[in-house]
Each structure stands twice: as C-alpha cells, then as structure tokens.
Amino acid sequence: MQEAEQFLPKKGNYRGLLVYQKAECLFDITYYFAHQYMVERKDRTVDQMVQAARSGKQNIAEGCAAASTSAETELKLNGVARASMKELLTDYEDYLRTRGLEQWAANDPRTRQIQAYSKRHNRPADYTTDIDKRSPEAIANIAITLLHQFDNMMGRYMDRLQKDFVEQGGIRERMTAARLGYRNDQKACIAELEAENARLKARIAALEAQLEKGGRL
C-alpha cells in the first residue's frame, strides 16, 4: 500500500470543486425549468435537457473518481461533461428564440447582476428558492449566464489537468517511474554491498599475510 501511494495521485472530493457545484446548480434549475415549462407540450426536450444537465454533473464526479488510476479517463469524462453543458446551452437559447423571448446580452445589467451573484453563490438553493416567482425568460437567462461561467471554469480546469498530465504523466508513466526508481535503488544498494565486500576481503587478506609472517595483529 505504501509503495502504491508513491505513484497514485491524491485527489480531492469532487463536491469541493467549484465547477461541480456550478453543475449541480444548473441541474436543479434545469430540472425545474424543463418540467415546469415544457412538460405540458410533451416536448422530448424535457428529458434531453435534464439528461444533459445530469451528464454535466455526473461526468465530473466520475472523472474525479477515475483520476487516481487514469488521467486519460479523467480528461475524457470532463470533456463529456463540458460537451453536455454546451448542448444544454443550445436548448435554453432555442427556447427563448422559438418563443419570441429575449436573450439578455452579455453587457445587459441583468446579466451582470447574475454574474456578480453567482461568483459568491454556489448552492442549488441559492437559485431554486422562490424560483416559481421568476418568469421563464428570467430563469432561462440565469441558466445561460451560469452555463457560460461553467464553460469558462471547465476550460481552466481541463487546462490544469492537461498540464498536470504532461508534467507528471498518467498512471502508466508513474508506475514505470516507480519501477525504474526501485530498480535503480536496488542496483545502487547491490553496488554498495559489493564495494563493502571487496574492502572486507582486502582487509582479511592483509591480516592473513601478517599472520603468515608471524606479525602481530
């Protein structure tokens, strides 16, 4: 176990990742939104939006769980999470466009207010409390703003994971390095023992020579 810990990276709890917390908020918002404003139309998008939001959240968790044994899998799963959220973003944009509702611009004061609020609030309850008092246009724009923030956060997170992979390698590289390090340590130890053995033999030979000559030890 101790040797394994030398090359298995220590990863934190996925719930502590801000990008996961943002994904969880988006899932709860989307679950309410889809079932509240699309279910009466029997729109297939209900399941698609909920599943996209769920995929974004779950793949981050699964990627974190896989991180200790496969950096490649971790990167892949986070890539799936990011792609799922991009799909969800398109669904919200489509909702607003097809119903003649306004998508707030990035410099709109309402958008800036959401951006400022979301920097300090990462709990689902921060967005779902009294959500029924908001219009579908407002909820969709809140989700769109959070989705853009999520994408930026995920981009930075994946850049860090890729940097760590390049610098530290994946599990195979770390296992190979561990084996090579062990072998090098063994070789160094053997070489040291051989040198010590040679010194002892030389000392014994010198003592035996003195005895033959009748010398004193």
Side-chain angles (χ1 to χ4, degrees):
M1 181 65 70
Q2 187 173 2
E3 291 180 1
E5 291 175 352
Q6 294 175 0
F7 57 80
L8 290 178
K10 296 180 179 179
K11 298 289 184 177
N13 190 321
Y14 65 87
R15 293 187 181 277
L17 294 173
L18 288 177
V19 70
Y20 176 84
Q21 295 171 10
K22 196 70 69 181
E24 193 171 40
C25 293
L26 281 162
F27 175 81
D28 284 21
I29 293 170
T30 300
Y31 189 89
Y32 172 85
F33 182 87
H35 287 93
Q36 181 69 22
Y37 296 110
M38 295 179 174
V39 69
E40 292 181 0
R41 299 164 57 95
K42 296 182 179 180
D43 195 332
R44 289 180 58 192
T45 310
V46 173
D47 291 336
Q48 292 172 350
M49 290 182 71
V50 172
Q51 287 303 314
R54 182 181 184 278
S55 175
K57 179 172 68 75
Q58 296 301 106
N59 276 289
I60 295 173
E62 291 178 21
C64 194
S68 63
T69 56
S70 176
E72 296 93 334
T73 300
E74 181 184 21
L75 280 168
K76 180 179 179 180
L77 289 171
N78 279 286
V80 172
R82 192 179 189 185
S84 295
M85 290 302 201
K86 285 182 181 293
E87 177 185 339
L88 182 61
L89 172 63
T90 302
D91 285 331
Y92 275 113
E93 291 174 340
D94 288 346
Y95 177 89
L96 294 174
R97 188 186 67 257
T98 58
R99 290 161 178 79
L101 301 175
E102 180 185 4
Q103 180 174 338
W104 303 340
N107 60 352
D108 188 296
R110 293 168 295 184
T111 301
R112 293 191 180 279
Q113 183 180 8
I114 298 166
Q115 292 171 338
Y117 180 86
S118 65
K119 288 180 181 179
R120 304 185 305 275
H121 298 84
N122 291 297
R123 298 180 304 121
D126 294 332
Y127 301 91
T128 56
T129 301
D130 295 330
I131 194 173
D132 57 320
K133 297 179 181 179
R134 299 184 181 278
S135 68
E137 178 183 296
I139 297 173
N141 276 287
I142 289 171
I144 287 172
T145 303
L146 294 182
L147 281 162
H148 282 301
Q149 290 184 328
F150 172 89
D151 190 65
N152 289 333
M153 292 173 66
M154 179 58 81
R156 294 194 298 271
Y157 180 55
M158 292 184 68
D159 285 344
R160 194 191 76 186
L161 293 177
Q162 291 171 348
K163 181 175 181 292
D164 290 345
F165 177 73
V166 170
E167 293 179 351
Q168 302 174 18
I171 184 65
R172 295 186 185 88
E173 289 83 357
R174 290 191 294 274
M175 290 180 70
T176 298
R179 286 196 297 269
L180 290 175
Y182 176 78
R183 290 175 183 173
N184 289 336
D185 289 343
Q186 290 293 94
K187 289 180 180 179
C189 183
I190 291 172
E192 185 177 343
L193 289 173
E194 289 177 344
E196 180 63 20
N197 189 43
R199 289 193 293 271
L200 290 174
K201 286 182 176 180
R203 176 59 176 163
I204 290 171
L207 292 174
E208 288 177 345
Q210 288 183 350
L211 288 173
E212 290 179 359
K213 294 180 181 179
R216 297 177 62 184
L217 295 180

